[in-house]
Amino acid sequence: PSLDHLDTVIDLAAPDQRVWAQVIHVTSRGEQPLFISRDYTPTQGRADFWPASTIKMYTATATLELINQAGFSIDATLGFQRLIEGEWVEEVDISVREVVRRTFDCSSNETYTLLLRFTGVDWLNTEFFTPAHGFNHTALMRDYVTDDARPWSYQLSEAQRISIREGSREVIREHQWSGRSYADERGCTIYNTRGDANCTSAGDMAEHMRRVIFHEQLPEGQRFEISAPLLDWYRGDTRERILNNTQGDNCGGPVYSGIRRVFNQPILHHKEGLVSEYRGTMHHVHDEESNTEYVASLMIDSPSEQVIEKLSEELARMMKTPSAYVHLGYLRDYVNPITANLVTYSEEVGTLQMMVKPYEEDGFSLEGWTPLQGTSTPIDVGERSHNLRSNCLNESGQLHIRGRLETANGIVAWSDLHYVIVDHTQTCP
């Protein structure tokens, strides 16, 4: 698929909203997947937003790489110390399993900060955030707890010592920030008055998720140095939910809600983020029922749940049938006939019509819909706008309503769900 209509889909779903986005459509070709990537023009390489908690995934992946290189498992214990007046003071012991799990269990700021302390700002920004690892616009320098939140906080001026212990083995990791401003070097612009901001791009976010999920199918040069058992655990292939956690205290959030409006039982790997002015996500979706798979990253300059939910839903519709898409605009109520404005994208000729079902029935089910008489219209290839008008109706009531597009080769795309109130006493010309 070309994904040429990505800009239109986002603009229709979130009009007048600033958005940063990247999508990667995945088509399985035997053991070698085919990836087609498209950015919301022109945001792929821009890092002018605050990434909030989305970047916690970066520190988790980096930690697993360091643990693997040192020959430890996720059950190794990390013992954190800081240097005070020449003495190493012990602060907290925690297993790798627990510190990563809690970072994805509804996004602990404390354990994210420990991951940042473990990797260290200098190593993370010079050895991990490299083009070879898929990073071109990323810098992390700031923890997410206050300076007095001991034992969790990470003050860059303080020397750090972390012992990695498992069985009879112990490895010591020591570091202290060099004073280098990676935020300035990478062009971070948001909350960067001190030169110690966090920033990334939608392109880096989507690429990172792609490399974690499809590690085994990628060329050697694109793989992280993480063993299969660690990756299997990280992706939730075992009984523990890490990247695929949608449980707990609403860990799925509005992104999962939007995706579930399109797919019944999708596999979701994700990391969401929210701060006062920005909300975002990077996620991987695999729906076996419809044979749909894709990666997406989204950021908006708003804390709105409704906007990120709507964007996630419409991207899911686009990726489910990438060669056909239909958008239904909001409808007027207390009308007769029903009129609707729609936008379609299709790579084949086809037919568009409005579909209705009683409001008392399940609007999210694709069963039980009937055509709205008078609304069937042929569509041409490309992106088109349509104004449909039904026949006159002889009964008042509330109806579920959706747009349905079927191409010449039988590809079917549905719009999102709306409702309309009909008043049959209105004069119907």
Side-chain angles (χ1 to χ4, degrees):
S2 67
L3 308 181
D4 286 342
H5 52 309
L6 174 64
D7 287 10
T8 298
V9 170
I10 290 178
D11 289 340
L12 289 170
D16 305 317
Q17 173 71 63
R18 195 176 184 199
V19 178
W20 299 257
Q22 180 90 14
V23 295
I24 304 174
H25 183 273
V26 185
T27 302
S28 295
R29 298 285 180 88
E31 296 182 357
Q32 187 63 43
L34 173 66
F35 302 102
I36 301 211
S37 183
R38 184 68 181 261
D39 70 310
Y40 177 60
T41 307
T43 62
Q44 179 180 21
R46 284 170 45 186
D48 51 343
F49 57 85
W50 187 256
S53 292
T54 59
I55 46 82
K56 294 176 181 178
M57 182 179 172
Y58 296 165
T59 60
T61 307
T63 293
L64 293 181
E65 184 164 275
L66 284 174
I67 289 297
N68 183 73
Q69 290 171 357
F72 290 94
S73 76
I74 56 171
D75 292 311
T77 297
L78 305 180
F80 290 85
Q81 304 172 49
R82 63 187 175 104
L83 192 63
I84 302 178
E85 297 179 354
E87 299 276 342
W88 287 108
V89 176
E90 295 184 3
E91 292 200 302
V92 62
D93 286 2
I94 189 169
S95 70
V96 177
R97 179 190 298 270
E98 184 68 6
V99 75
V100 174
R101 185 194 65 77
R102 286 174 53 184
T103 302
F104 289 90
D105 186 13
C106 298
S107 202
S108 165
N109 287 334
E110 290 80 10
T111 55
Y112 155 69
T113 300
L114 291 183
L115 293 173
L116 190 64
R117 283 179 68 178
F118 175 66
T119 56
V121 162
D122 286 314
W123 179 87
L124 193 64
N125 286 278
T126 60
E127 301 296 323
F128 191 73
F129 293 147
T130 65
H133 274 139
F135 295 101
N136 294 287
H137 310 281
T138 297
L140 295 192
M141 300 188 67
R142 194 176 301 177
D143 64 357
Y144 284 169
V145 297
T146 59
D147 287 347
D148 60 352
R150 300 296 184 184
W152 315 104
S153 67
Y154 177 22
Q155 296 185 25
L156 294 181
S157 60
E158 294 179 342
Q160 303 289 322
R161 172 186 281 180
I162 303 96
S163 63
I164 314 170
R165 304 186 300 272
E166 186 171 22
S168 60
R169 291 190 63 221
E170 182 177 29
V171 172
I172 301 297
R173 180 175 178 80
E174 291 186 11
H175 58 81
Q176 185 171 11
W177 179 45
S178 64
R180 183 176 169 183
S181 175
Y182 302 100
D184 288 344
E185 293 176 14
R186 308 280 160 78
C188 302
T189 58
I190 306 300
Y191 306 157
N192 193 39
T193 56
R194 301 178 304 178
D196 65 347
N198 295 336
C199 69
T200 191
S201 66
D204 285 9
M205 293 163 69
E207 177 62 11
H208 185 71
M209 183 65 76
R210 184 186 77 95
R211 292 192 182 206
V212 168
I213 299 302
F214 297 97
H215 173 90
E216 294 84 353
Q217 290 83 39
L218 299 179
E220 290 284 347
Q222 295 183 17
R223 299 182 187 181
F224 295 112
E225 194 176 335
I226 303 176
S227 68
L230 285 173
L231 272 172
D232 289 345
W233 173 82
Y234 190 31
R235 294 181 301 212
D237 297 338
T238 61
R239 291 184 178 182
E240 285 187 86
R241 287 180 172 264
I242 310 299
L243 272 175
N244 61 339
N245 186 9
T246 56
Q247 300 178 335
D249 184 18
N250 193 28
C251 286
V255 171
Y256 190 48
S257 297
I259 293 167
R260 284 292 305 276
R261 291 179 178 175
V262 182
F263 305 112
N264 291 325
Q265 295 293 330
I267 298 170
L268 176 69
H269 299 94
H270 67 122
K271 186 69 195 79
E272 321 304 335
L274 170 65
V275 71
S276 58
E277 298 173 50
Y278 299 91
R279 184 184 282 272
T281 172
M282 49 181 164
H283 56 261
H284 160 254
V285 176
H286 184 200
D287 179 61
E288 295 181 352
E289 182 180 342
S290 63
N291 194 29
T292 301
E293 191 164 17
Y294 65 95
V295 172
S297 60
L298 285 169
M299 289 297 303
I300 59 174
D301 65 346
S302 164
S304 170
E305 290 189 5
Q306 290 77 19
V307 173
I308 202 77
E309 181 177 29
K310 185 62 176 174
L311 281 168
S312 299
E313 176 184 355
E314 292 309 304
L315 283 182
R317 293 188 192 286
M318 174 183 173
M319 303 308 267
K320 184 176 182 180
T321 53
S323 63
Y325 175 80
V326 55
H327 172 84
L328 172 60
Y330 291 103
L331 299 101
R332 289 180 55 203
D333 285 327
Y334 300 102
V335 294
N336 187 21
I338 298 172
T339 59
N341 295 311
L342 301 98
V343 174
T344 59
Y345 170 84
S346 182
E347 295 176 6
E348 304 170 357
V349 297
T351 301
L352 172 68
Q353 61 185 334
M354 300 301 299
M355 307 290 289
V356 294
K357 71 189 305 187
Y359 190 76
E360 297 75 22
E361 298 182 13
D362 181 7
F364 290 104
S365 169
L366 294 184
E367 303 296 326
W369 292 86
T370 58
L372 182 59
Q373 296 302 311
T375 63
S376 180
T377 187
I379 64 161
D380 204 348
V381 172
E383 193 174 298
R384 299 286 187 269
S385 296
H386 311 270
N387 183 265
L388 302 187
R389 178 184 183 275
S390 75
N391 293 345
C392 297
L393 303 171
N394 57 14
E395 184 177 348
S396 298
Q398 190 166 334
L399 298 170
H400 288 304
I401 185 166
R402 305 176 89 168
R404 183 182 185 274
L405 164 63
E406 183 170 2
T407 72
N409 285 321
I411 296 172
V412 175
W414 291 80
S415 80
D416 61 340
L417 179 66
H418 293 253
Y419 71 84
V420 63
I421 300 173
V422 176
D423 179 4
H424 82 284
T425 65
Q426 295 285 332
T427 301
C428 183

